[in-house]
Amino acid sequence: MRRTTPPGTLSPRNLVAVIGGGTLLLLLVGIGVYGLLRGPGPEPAPRNPAAETPARQTPGLDPEPVAETSDAERFARDVATRLFAWDTATGRLPVEYMQPIVDRTDVDEAPGLTADLRGYFPDDETWRDLREFSTRQWLDIDTIDIPASWASIVEQTQSGLLPPGATAYTITGNRHRAGVWDGKDVSDVRPVSFTTFLACPPDEDCRLLRVSGVDQPLR
């Protein structure tokens, strides 16, 4: 079940409206919690790929729900996987892959998170182009860590401006794409990094707050 922002806690939308400047404004610009950092969307599949590789089995490319868990690292890992897992050959649309991620956020934060996700998923026109090549995508995670700067960010943030159990995980890994070009199986790999911002209150399931732009992580 989705929860609304706890009493006394400002939602990201309201928080932006009351920022008067100074340290907190610089903080928000720096970490992108409230959608101020946007990364480029996934690039179209290569139309003249340099490498051809055998087809690879890729699990779970139908839309799947994000784990309901109070384990922050597990939750961040599952969100990261869902951000990059899709398959144009399933007949699904990008919004259907986005929705399970949005379902794990608060109502007040859903509009901002939806805007963040547009940087991760192809738009409908690009999706149609990718479907011509039966393109599918997935992520292999290399590292997942609380960024070194997070503790000082929490310390500098006024009490009540972050929800209970707020934390961040910066993830690095390799984004894989595979498809069919001229009747042959082809693939492409590139490194990616990003930060997920979440809240895991004591004895409650985690919920997603925001996501940084692709390749614009918090360090």
Side-chain angles (χ1 to χ4, degrees), residues 6-8 53 57 90 111 126 151 158 165 193:
T53 61
Q57 290 294 106
T90 62
T126 302
Q158 295 177 18
S193 58

Side-chain angles (χ1 to χ4, degrees), residues 1-204:
M1 178 180 295
R2 291 177 292 178
R3 291 173 290 275
T4 57
T5 304
T9 300
L10 291 176
S11 72
R13 183 171 49 191
N14 293 332
L15 176 57
V16 171
V18 301
I19 292 170
T23 302
L24 186 54
L25 177 58
L26 294 176
L27 168 64
L28 299 180
V29 172
I31 68 176
V33 172
Y34 303 104
L36 300 182
L37 297 179
R38 292 286 185 268
E43 68 274 14
R47 292 178 175 264
N48 186 22
E52 297 179 359
T53 61
R56 169 176 173 169
Q57 290 294 106
T58 54
L61 294 188
D62 264 323
E64 295 184 4
V66 176
E68 295 186 33
T69 177
S70 60
D71 184 325
E73 182 173 330
R74 179 190 171 195
F75 182 77
R77 184 179 294 273
D78 206 44
V79 167
T81 300
R82 299 288 169 261
L83 284 170
F84 288 88
W86 48 257
D87 188 344
T88 61
T90 62
R92 305 282 192 169
L93 295 173
V95 66
E96 295 178 80
Y97 286 94
M98 294 167 61
Q99 190 59 50
I101 303 173
V102 176
D103 286 344
R104 289 293 182 265
T105 191
D106 286 347
V107 172
D108 289 341
E109 293 150 353
L113 178 63
T114 300
D116 296 341
L117 296 182
R118 294 193 186 106
Y120 285 80
F121 290 87
D123 59 31
D124 289 343
E125 181 178 355
T126 302
W127 188 262
R128 287 191 292 270
D129 292 339
L130 294 171
R131 185 177 289 167
E132 295 180 13
F133 306 100
S134 300
T135 308
R136 62 192 187 279
Q137 177 177 278
W138 67 98
L139 177 70
D140 284 341
I141 295 174
D142 288 335
T143 65
I144 175 167
D145 299 291
I146 296 175
S149 59
W150 181 250
S152 62
I153 288 170
V154 173
E155 184 179 348
Q156 294 175 47
T157 303
Q158 295 177 18
S159 176
L161 292 183
L162 291 175
T167 189
Y169 280 90
T170 290
I171 295 131
T172 68
N174 288 297
R175 185 226 64 183
H176 296 260
R177 279 194 180 178
V180 179
W181 168 257
D182 198 22
K184 297 179 181 179
D185 294 315
V186 296
S187 66
D188 173 75
V189 182
R190 83 168 181 90
V192 293
S193 58
F194 54 96
T195 300
T196 59
F197 300 91
L198 48 143
C200 299
D203 302 321
E204 293 184 22

